[in-house]
Amino acid sequence: MKKALLSVSDKTNLQELAKKLVSLGYDIVSSGGTAKFLEDNDIEVTRVSEITDFPEIMNGRVKTLHPKIHGGILADRDIEEHLEQAKKLDIDMFDFVVVNLYPFAETLKNNRENHALIIENIDIGGPTLVRSAAKNYKHVGIIVDPADYDYIVAELEENKELSFKTRTELALKAFEHTAAYDSLISSYFQNITGVNLPETYLAAGNKLNDLRYGENPHQSAAIYNGNEDMPITQHHGKQLSYNNYLDIDSALRVLYKMKDYDKTVVAILKHLNPCGIGLGDTITEAYDKAFATDTLSPFGGIVVTNKTVDLEAAEKINSVFTEIIIAPDYTEDAMKKLKRKKNRRLITVDMEKLSIMEKQKKIITCMNGYLVQDADLTPDNEENWQVVTEIKPDKEYMDALRFGWKTVSTLKSNAVCFTTHDRTIGLGIGQTSRIDSTEIAVSKAGKFGLKLEGSICASDGFFPFRDSADKMAELGIKGIIQPGGSNGDEEVIKACNEHGIFMIFTGTRHFRH
């Protein structure tokens, strides 16, 4: 008689699957909670202990780890010696293994401080069963996902057995499943041991969606989630594209950088960069400040805010074609208004989950390997900031320097920005020369009728020569914030003192290549 071994934590649709397998002539073998579940649902089941003639021990830690189980899974039925040994040792063959693992991810998510419970939810027998069955995919079907039950049963009903192609695909999914599981456990142990960059870096994610294409139409792409759930939910509009996801990530980065503000924050982004950021008492006020920075780039861009979008804000944002709007929430009438554009993506962000971004690693491919680094989202320690000039900023200008420093850290390098305490004035982004970035920021401010006089300048890297300070004086800039650390620092400080410009060295740079 055909045999199927069922051992699952997630019992979704298990009763239906077991009944179908029985009707197809399979003897069901199970252990522990799975066996009890099947018995309680009047499904005949043989317990593993009846086959092994050995009880489950150590609170269920040892159940299926036995030659009579794994021999029946791993035997290569094309090798006569395997079959002879199985017969001699009274080992029956298994044709199906249905396993899903202890809910380690869920346990970790809901019980982060309960180390003992987390450890107890590291599955041992389950992954071993999965790997054994997947290794012997030529003869054994391995199912790890309840979502696959229906199509597996349909194929069995039609063909009496699974095709080689199906078994191979199931084996791939099984090995992916155990690899992802081990990745989660590895990540947990990295956290509790304080290992930041381990000797072997593991990153696993479950596919959320195939995307229409990647950065360009000839590139295929998909979106995967990592160890934590995505902090966003889409409520309306076309499916998010590869470029949309990158833009949203950049928008959330801005939101996180501005998280200390109680005021309303609005940022407008295009191609991964802000084209304007504003603070205000309302979304409308903050949006107007952000939009005034650059009235051309917002067309087809992204708007992100830290407050609930109301009807007034919706009407303001709606006045310009906007691809994506991101907010913690929307009022009912605002959502109704914004949904009139059928393709516009409306996104809510879980503000509490933004803190997870600080712990993320940034991973990019590099030649045949990977570059891995911490995310540049750790809050700046202002205690390390130094006012290096004779003139000191007052509170309002200190607020402007703080806002400028947060803003410039969200821009692609080389980056220079001019701001007040609550709005961007001119942004110079992603140039090969800091002088070019400065000239672009000055040009944009002039182009959109904004005055630089009285604003501050923030630079993501140091000013190497005094000519930059001289230029700031010509523009009427009152203060500069930059990392410092150049051989020319003393000359730059001297120039600032001559021009009556105050300057802060942060001791930290925020390059974004």
Side-chain angles (χ1 to χ4, degrees), residues 418-467:
F418 298 102
T419 78
T420 65
H421 69 286
D422 65 354
R423 65 185 294 173
T424 49
I425 302 295
L427 305 177
I429 301 168
Q431 300 304 304
T432 54
S433 160
R434 197 162 303 281
I435 293 172
D436 290 342
S437 291
T438 303
E439 289 176 351
I440 289 171
V442 171
S443 173
K444 285 217 166 194
K447 181 176 182 178
F448 299 109
L450 301 176
K451 293 183 179 180
L452 291 170
E453 187 175 357
S455 67
I456 66 93
C457 174
S459 171
D460 65 351
F462 57 63
F463 286 166
F465 306 108
R466 69 165 288 154
D467 57 354

Side-chain angles (χ1 to χ4, degrees), residues 58-342:
M58 300 174 184
N59 300 113
R61 282 192 171 196
V62 181
K63 291 179 287 197
T64 58
L65 297 169
H66 194 282
K68 281 205 169 183
I69 300 300
H70 285 277
I73 297 170
L74 280 165
D76 187 333
R77 286 138 223 207
D78 294 330
I79 299 176
E80 189 62 32
E81 183 183 357
H82 284 201
L83 298 178
E84 289 175 359
Q85 287 179 347
K87 184 176 181 180
K88 180 180 178 181
L89 297 170
D90 195 26
I91 296 174
D92 291 332
M93 299 294 103
F94 285 97
D95 304 281
F96 258 106
V97 174
V98 182
V99 175
N100 53 62
L101 310 179
Y102 292 172
F104 182 83
E106 291 79 3
T107 304
L108 181 61
K109 181 179 179 180
N110 299 320
N111 303 273
R112 289 186 180 275
E113 305 305 317
N114 193 337
H115 178 70
L117 182 61
I118 291 168
I119 294 301
E120 209 54 42
N121 275 273
I122 297 176
D123 203 330
I124 302 301
T128 308
L129 290 170
V130 171
R131 291 174 62 83
S132 293
K135 176 175 179 175
N136 202 23
Y137 69 95
K138 289 192 301 179
H139 306 290
V140 181
I142 171 64
I143 309 174
V144 296
D145 185 353
D148 294 335
Y149 292 171
D150 286 346
Y151 95 83
I152 293 298
V153 168
E155 185 169 332
L156 287 174
E157 288 177 331
E158 182 176 351
N159 302 320
K160 307 303 180 187
E161 63 179 21
L162 295 182
S163 69
F164 181 77
K165 179 178 181 292
T166 297
R167 292 196 305 275
T168 306
E169 290 171 347
L170 290 172
L172 168 62
K173 192 167 186 176
F175 283 123
E176 289 173 344
H177 187 59
T178 56
Y181 195 76
D182 285 339
S183 174
L184 282 171
I185 298 168
S186 171
S187 178
Y188 174 69
F189 275 90
Q190 287 169 30
N191 288 332
I192 65 173
T193 56
V195 174
N196 187 38
L197 295 171
E199 292 300 311
T200 301
Y201 192 82
L202 302 175
N206 295 316
K207 186 189 286 187
L208 298 179
N209 281 305
D210 286 308
L211 304 177
R212 289 175 59 206
Y213 52 79
E215 203 164 6
N216 297 291
H218 60 276
Q219 295 169 270
S220 58
I223 175 72
Y224 297 79
N225 72 336
N227 291 345
E228 302 284 352
D229 293 334
M230 289 279 185
I232 62 166
T233 302
Q234 183 175 358
H235 299 274
H236 178 72
K238 288 195 302 185
Q239 179 191 17
L240 294 171
S241 70
Y242 180 92
N243 291 332
N244 290 153
Y245 277 110
L246 290 177
D247 282 330
I248 291 170
D249 183 69
S250 295
L252 297 185
R253 193 174 189 276
V254 175
L255 213 56
Y256 188 77
K257 287 282 186 176
M258 301 290 174
K259 66 184 174 63
D260 295 331
Y261 288 110
D262 292 328
K263 279 184 168 288
T264 300
V265 177
V266 170
I268 306 171
L269 293 94
K270 194 78 169 287
H271 299 304
L272 311 187
N273 280 297
C275 45
I277 304 175
L279 306 180
D281 293 327
T282 66
I283 292 178
T284 300
E285 180 186 351
Y287 179 89
D288 284 340
K289 292 174 182 178
F291 183 76
T293 309
D294 182 341
T295 60
L296 291 179
S297 297
F299 184 86
I302 290 180
V303 172
V304 62
T305 182
N306 62 341
K307 304 294 184 183
T308 297
V309 174
D310 57 18
L311 182 59
E312 180 186 8
E315 289 174 341
K316 172 63 71 171
I317 296 169
N318 208 43
S319 64
V320 176
F321 169 59
T322 304
E323 284 269 11
I324 302 172
I325 303 171
I326 308 168
D329 204 357
Y330 301 79
T331 63
E332 186 177 345
D333 51 358
M335 183 69 82
K336 183 177 179 180
K337 172 79 174 178
L338 294 170
K339 279 185 174 181
R340 291 177 186 172
K341 299 284 180 67
K342 67 176 183 177

Side-chain angles (χ1 to χ4, degrees), residues 231 252 255-256 349-358:
L252 297 185
L255 213 56
Y256 188 77
V349 56
D350 185 336
M351 299 295 284
E352 292 183 2
K353 287 184 180 177
L354 283 184
S355 61
I356 296 169
M357 297 177 65
E358 187 180 315

